Every structure is written in C-alpha cells, then in structure tokens.
Amino acid sequence: MNTLKNILIGVGVIAIVLFIVLLVIGVKVVSTVLVYVVGAIAIIALIIFAVFYLGKLFGRKSSDD
C-alpha cells in the first residue's frame, strides 16, 4: 500500500509540474487537449493532496482507541 501511495504522489507531482510548464510554454506550442488533460489531473492531485494532509492534520491517531 505504501508503494501505491508513493506512485500516486509521484504522478500527482509530475502532473502539477507538467501543467505549470505547459502553461508557461503556451497552448499554441502543445495540443490544447493535452493541456486540459494534464490540467485536470493536476487539479485532482491538488485536491487529493489537500484532503490527505488535512485528514492527517486533524485526524485521530489510531493509538488513542
């Protein structure tokens, strides 16, 4: 499970960085569809990162039970 988490975090970070790079390069250089797909993945990754770390911050520890 830890390996899957690391892979998904890696994909999310790569998508975010790639989306920023594609925005800097410009839509005319790359396909508009590619920018939208990478942008959607990046936005989903940001939302999941926020939910994960907020859950970690406010969540109970399992040793409290």
Side-chain angles (χ1 to χ4, degrees):
M1 196 66 176
N2 199 18
T3 304
L4 179 64
K5 181 180 80 169
N6 290 337
I7 290 171
L8 292 175
I9 288 173
V11 168
V13 169
I14 290 170
I16 293 167
V17 170
L18 187 60
F19 181 65
I20 292 171
V21 168
L22 291 176
L23 281 179
V24 170
I25 290 174
V27 176
K28 293 185 184 230
V29 177
V30 295
S31 172
T32 306
V33 175
L34 178 67
V35 173
Y36 287 148
V37 169
V38 173
I41 294 170
I43 290 171
I44 291 169
L46 284 174
I47 292 170
I48 292 174
F49 284 154
V51 169
F52 175 73
Y53 284 114
L54 284 175
K56 227 176 168 182
L57 181 66
F58 294 116
R60 290 188 305 159
K61 294 185 187 277
S62 60
S63 61
D64 290 342
D65 292 329

